[in-house]
């Protein structure tokens, strides 16, 4: 075991979050495509602690189920009633064996706190042999936070809560972030001495600081200058602010890694997105979930791509995509909707006002305009004319169709679910295809055109149409007369 490895990290996440005015637990709200508690767990896991435990209370079934999905194997400790942060840590320790070494306590609602900051805290804690090391900050407005009190020599003596502080103490601008590294024995001893003799009638974890000091331990402090890192989410205004700041950081990280972002202010990139160098993001682009964009590709303006793979050199404009795989050099958009199970091959095209779902479009195949392709395989080099619909649903079930390689489907055709148009076949414009088309065949499935001469003159006499027709006939007659030298 590495000596730098904390014995445990405890993530407090039992609080109600009343000010969110939400039916879902506060720590399940998201920033950057991850829940608040998932951010906290990832930072904690980066320390590689021997034990990691999340204290849950309000909405604990939902929080526990969520953790099982995003961070399987991370145990929870239940705090039935929220008797304070000290009580929450007691609940966590009850689920763990007797610890020795460093115990880190952090919050489930502080999403921007990085693993590096936690590591600095643990390092300082070790170097100085502290009983407690407090992560502190000097925010623009300290209201609401516990204040960090120091003696004449500058050593931390105790932490006083806003509600318990005197005028003088409230004037202190250095605050407690709520994140600490404790020596396990000092933590246990301090927790054992907590009482509820305070304004909120709670067991304050912060009181462990004073107890440790009275017991002769050293209390250290690490001040973070980046105050965003210790900001918690209490309401949706803070949620949006932290989401915005996280996004600014994510966008900057990718710009430094070689992505051109034309308008960082309207570009939103989730934490799990991966961009290769020499990618281009045009304004109003939202990349969510596990989206990846390969070298040379450009996305935007106005795209929302969720869990979408964009291949090398592809171009995607004004597109909404969920779970699609866009091949290298493919072009998508504008006003295109790609749904799960869509795969576009190399150089394939999904053009304007095209929707696709469970569609496998071969290399170089093109669906340029106004089409719906659902449950279909389109072979390499095929061309699907404007307005073609794959009618995949008969009211009972979805049926899969295929169009073979280098086939040509004329505009405004309907490919009814379940048919197979072979390689090198043609479908005449306006056809409704209900049976298979053999290789090299032209399928025509539409009414034959006939002309009823003089119909407009008879049935629409006196209209502008009738007059236009009359003029056209006269003009034609005049040019015939001219050519025949009449
Ligand atoms: C706490 C600190 C305060 C610090 C501030 C930083 C105490 C007594 N005060 O105050 O010094 O400046 O955090 O944000 O610790 N929680 C539980 N169970 C409980 C109570 C809280 O799990 O019984 C969790 C909450 O879900 C939350 C965190 O602990 O994630 C902090 O709780 P909160 O009530 O917000 O503490 P503050 O009063 O803000
Ligand atoms: Ca708080």
């Amino acid at each position: 075991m590495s000596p730098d490895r904390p014995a445990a990290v405890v993530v407090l996440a039992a609080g109600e979050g009343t000010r969110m005015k939400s039916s879902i637990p506060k720590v399940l709200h998201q920033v950057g495509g991850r829940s608040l508690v998932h951010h906290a767990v990832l930072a904690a896991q980066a320390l590689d602690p021997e034990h990691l435990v999340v204290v849950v209370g309000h909405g604990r079934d939902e929080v526990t189920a969520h953790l099982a999905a995003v961070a399987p194997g991370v145990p929870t400790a239940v705090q039935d009633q929220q008797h304070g942060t000290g009580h929450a840590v007691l609940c966590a320790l009850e689920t763990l064996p007797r610890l020795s070494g460093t115990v880190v306590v952090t919050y489930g609602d502080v999403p921007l706190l990085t693993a590096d900051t936690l590591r600095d805290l643990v390092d300082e804690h070790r170097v100085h042999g502290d009983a407690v090391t407090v992560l502190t900050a000097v925010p623009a407005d300290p209201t609401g936070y516990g204040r960090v009190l120091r003696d004449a020599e500058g050593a931390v003596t105790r932490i006083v809560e806003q509600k318990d502080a005197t005028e003088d103490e409230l004037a202190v601008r250095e605050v407690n972030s709520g994140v600490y590294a404790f020596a396990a024995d000092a933590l246990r001893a301090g927790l054992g001495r907590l009482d509820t003799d305070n304004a909120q009638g709670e067991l304050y974890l912060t009181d462990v600081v004073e107890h440790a000091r009275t017991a002769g331990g050293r209390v250290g402090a690490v001040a973070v200058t980046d105050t965003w890192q210790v900001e918690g989410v209490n309401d949706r205004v803070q949620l949006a602010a932290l989401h915005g700041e996280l996004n600014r950081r994510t966008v900057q990280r990718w710009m430094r890694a070689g992505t051109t972002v034309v308008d960082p202010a309207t570009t939103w990139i989730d934490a799990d997105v991966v961009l290769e160098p020499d990618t281009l993001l045009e304004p109003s682009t939202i990349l969510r979930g596990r989206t990846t964009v390969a070298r040379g590709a450009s996305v935007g303006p106005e795209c929302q791509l969720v869990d979408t793979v964009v291949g090398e050199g592809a171009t995607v404009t004004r597109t909404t995509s969920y779970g699609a795989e866009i091949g290298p050099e493919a072009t998508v958009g504008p006003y295109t909707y790609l749904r799960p199970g869509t795969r576009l091959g190399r150089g394939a095209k999904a053009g304007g006002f095209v929707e696709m779902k469970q569609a496998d479009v071969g290399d170089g195949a093109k669906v340029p305009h106004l089409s719906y392709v659902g449950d279909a395989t389109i072979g390499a080099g095929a061309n699907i004319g404007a307005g073609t619909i794959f009618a995949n649903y008969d009211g009972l079930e979805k049926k899969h169709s295929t169009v073979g390689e280098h086939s040509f489907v004329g505009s405004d055709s309907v490919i009814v679910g379940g048919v197979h148009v072979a390689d090198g076949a043609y479908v005449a414009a306006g056809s409704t295809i209900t049976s298979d088309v053999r290789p090299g065949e032209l399928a025509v499935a539409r009414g034959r055109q006939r002309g009823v001469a003089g119909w407009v003159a008879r049935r629409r006499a006196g209209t502008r149409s009738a007059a236009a027709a009359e003029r056209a006939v006269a003009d034609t007659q005049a040019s015939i007369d001219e050519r025949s030298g009449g």
Side-chain angles (χ1 to χ4, degrees):
M1 186 208 351
S2 142
D4 288 343
R5 204 175 167 200
V9 179
V10 176
V11 178
L12 304 189
E16 188 172 7
T18 333
R19 282 177 280 162
M20 294 298 283
K21 308 267 166 65
S22 179
S23 61
I24 65 167
K26 174 169 81 175
V27 293
L28 297 191
H29 285 262
Q30 295 201 343
V31 296
R34 282 184 196 139
S35 67
L36 300 178
V37 70
H38 190 199
H39 282 283
V41 164
L42 286 171
Q45 282 175 327
L47 296 181
D48 189 29
E50 280 174 70
H51 301 279
L52 168 57
V53 53
V54 180
V55 180
V56 298
H58 277 281
R60 64 167 181 256
D61 293 343
E62 284 163 274
V63 177
T64 304
H66 170 73
L67 285 171
V70 301
V74 171
T76 53
V78 174
Q79 186 193 23
D80 257 321
Q81 287 183 323
Q82 281 66 59
H83 296 306
T85 46
H87 178 245
V89 173
L90 278 166
C91 293
L93 295 189
E94 267 169 27
T95 68
L96 299 175
R98 192 182 170 84
L99 303 170
S100 59
T102 305
V103 178
V104 174
V105 175
T106 176
Y107 291 165
D109 58 2
V110 180
L112 265 56
L113 183 66
T114 66
D116 282 345
T117 300
L118 286 176
R119 260 185 227 112
D120 288 347
L121 177 72
V122 170
D123 287 350
E124 282 291 308
H125 179 73
R126 287 243 172 66
V127 167
H128 297 291
D130 290 345
V132 188
T133 314
V134 186
L135 189 68
T136 71
V138 183
D141 178 9
T143 310
Y145 287 98
R147 306 299 203 280
V148 176
L149 306 183
R150 292 172 182 265
D151 65 16
E153 277 76 56
V156 175
T157 53
R158 62 188 179 97
I159 292 166
V160 62
E161 292 306 291
Q162 168 93 20
K163 287 179 179 153
D164 300 291
T166 63
E167 276 304 289
D168 282 355
E169 288 164 347
L170 288 178
V172 172
R173 300 200 34 233
E174 187 182 17
V175 305
N176 169 30
S177 69
V179 177
Y180 324 77
F182 294 97
D185 45 4
L187 176 60
R188 257 192 314 270
L191 288 173
R193 295 180 54 191
L194 296 187
D195 59 45
T196 55
D197 187 12
N198 54 55
Q200 301 181 77
E202 289 183 353
L203 296 172
Y204 286 171
L205 180 60
T206 44
D207 287 348
V208 171
V209 168
E210 192 179 3
H211 295 320
R213 177 154 164 111
T214 340
R218 183 185 186 280
V219 179
V222 172
V224 282
T225 47
D226 176 13
T227 54
W228 285 105
Q229 286 208 33
V230 296
E231 264 202 41
V233 173
N234 293 302
D235 61 26
R236 299 196 198 223
V237 175
Q238 287 169 317
L239 185 75
L242 284 163
H243 187 184
E245 182 58 23
L246 175 61
N247 188 61
R248 273 185 286 284
R249 291 173 186 217
T250 305
V251 170
Q252 278 181 14
R253 174 161 59 86
W254 289 118
M255 290 194 288
R256 295 214 166 86
T259 295
T260 295
V261 178
V262 176
D263 184 16
T266 61
T267 303
W268 292 84
I269 305 176
D270 273 0
D272 287 329
V273 168
V274 177
L275 308 176
E276 285 184 8
D278 280 322
T279 41
L280 169 66
L281 304 183
E282 297 275 9
S284 295
T285 288
I286 304 168
L287 303 180
R288 299 189 47 206
R290 304 213 161 261
T291 293
T292 60
V293 183
R295 195 176 281 275
S298 84
V299 180
E302 291 171 11
C303 284
Q304 169 164 269
L305 309 186
V306 183
D307 299 327
T308 294
V309 175
V310 180
E312 225 174 282
T315 305
V316 184
T317 54
R318 292 192 166 83
T319 291
T320 299
S321 169
Y322 295 90
E325 193 185 322
I326 298 166
E329 308 297 334
T331 58
V332 180
Y335 307 105
T336 306
Y337 182 23
L338 304 181
R339 294 163 52 200
T342 296
R343 195 198 68 87
L344 299 177
R346 173 177 289 275
K349 178 176 180 124
F353 300 99
V354 168
E355 175 176 338
M356 292 187 174
K357 186 215 76 168
Q358 296 284 350
D360 192 316
V361 181
D363 293 352
K366 295 193 173 10
V367 187
H369 332 272
L370 301 154
S371 290
Y372 174 61
V373 182
D375 299 291
T377 301
I378 295 173
N383 192 299
I384 309 298
T388 296
I389 303 294
F390 285 72
N392 58 329
Y393 187 47
D394 61 8
L396 293 175
E397 53 179 336
K398 303 286 166 65
K399 289 193 175 129
H400 184 269
S401 297
T402 57
V403 171
E405 288 183 12
H406 300 286
S407 287
F408 183 99
V409 174
S411 295
D412 196 30
S413 294
V414 178
I415 309 292
V416 174
V419 303
H420 176 64
V421 176
D423 292 350
Y426 268 60
V427 169
S431 293
T432 296
I433 300 300
T434 52
S435 20
D436 290 355
V437 182
R438 284 185 286 270
E441 208 172 69
L442 166 69
V444 189
R446 64 181 183 218
R448 184 173 279 280
Q449 183 175 334
R450 67 189 179 106
V452 182
W455 186 91
V456 175
R458 289 196 306 279
R459 307 295 293 267
R460 296 292 182 268
T463 62
R464 286 177 192 222
S465 303
E470 208 173 301
R471 276 197 305 276
V473 171
D475 287 353
T476 310
Q477 192 53 53
S479 69
I480 291 170
D481 291 350
E482 203 170 286
R483 250 179 286 143
S484 61

